[in-house]
Amino acid sequence: QVQLVESGGGLVQAGGSLRLSCAASGRTFSSYYMGWFRQAPGKEREFVAAISRSGSWTYYADSVKGRFPISRDNAKNTVYLQMNSLKPEDTAVYFCAASTSRTVVAGEYDYWGQGTQVTVSS
């Protein structure tokens, strides 16, 4: 069992930055691939970024590539999403998730956080 808690969301102007954190409970954090997803009002949940257990592999949605680097610190049981050059269309609830597989499919993630709201004003 893994419990995930996101933090770092908030209101920011377009062009600004935020860093999301996702703290995981348990001693097996390094056994999981980690992903970030987001869901805007009235839209489906969509993949944002993923990272392998060691951090050597990362993968991004085209919409955030080059702007939202993902990273992890296994010693701190935490995964991060640095969000730069934010746009109003990045407004959404952001979720972190854990999977035993290297995947970008939401349904293949086993554990989810409660989400953190990110609002980007124009």
Side-chain angles (χ1 to χ4, degrees):
Q1 187 82 12
V2 177
Q3 291 185 321
L4 304 172
V5 179
E6 301 97 336
S7 61
L11 173 64
V12 63
Q13 288 188 330
S17 297
L18 285 173
R19 188 175 82 155
L20 304 185
S21 300
C22 173
S25 66
R27 295 176 290 177
T28 60
F29 175 73
S30 60
S31 300
Y32 292 92
Y33 291 85
M34 298 299 297
W36 285 97
F37 292 79
R38 66 187 182 186
Q39 188 166 18
K43 294 190 175 181
E44 299 272 324
R45 189 169 298 189
E46 65 173 357
F47 168 77
V48 175
I51 189 167
S52 62
R53 291 171 292 206
S54 68
S56 60
W57 171 85
T58 56
Y59 191 77
Y60 299 93
D62 287 344
S63 58
V64 306
K65 197 174 297 182
R67 298 190 298 127
F68 289 10
I70 186 173
S71 61
R72 68 189 295 163
D73 185 337
N74 286 343
K76 294 183 178 180
N77 282 8
T78 302
V79 61
Y80 304 97
L81 187 70
Q82 177 66 45
M83 306 170 68
N84 302 317
S85 302
L86 281 159
K87 305 174 182 179
E89 52 263 44
D90 294 319
T91 295
V93 177
Y94 284 72
F95 301 87
C96 70
S99 175
T100 54
S101 304
R102 185 164 86 171
T103 180
V104 302
V105 177
E108 295 178 1
Y109 279 78
D110 305 296
Y111 302 102
W112 291 82
Q114 82 289 349
T116 186
Q117 176 71 47
V118 172
T119 303
V120 184
S121 63
S122 57

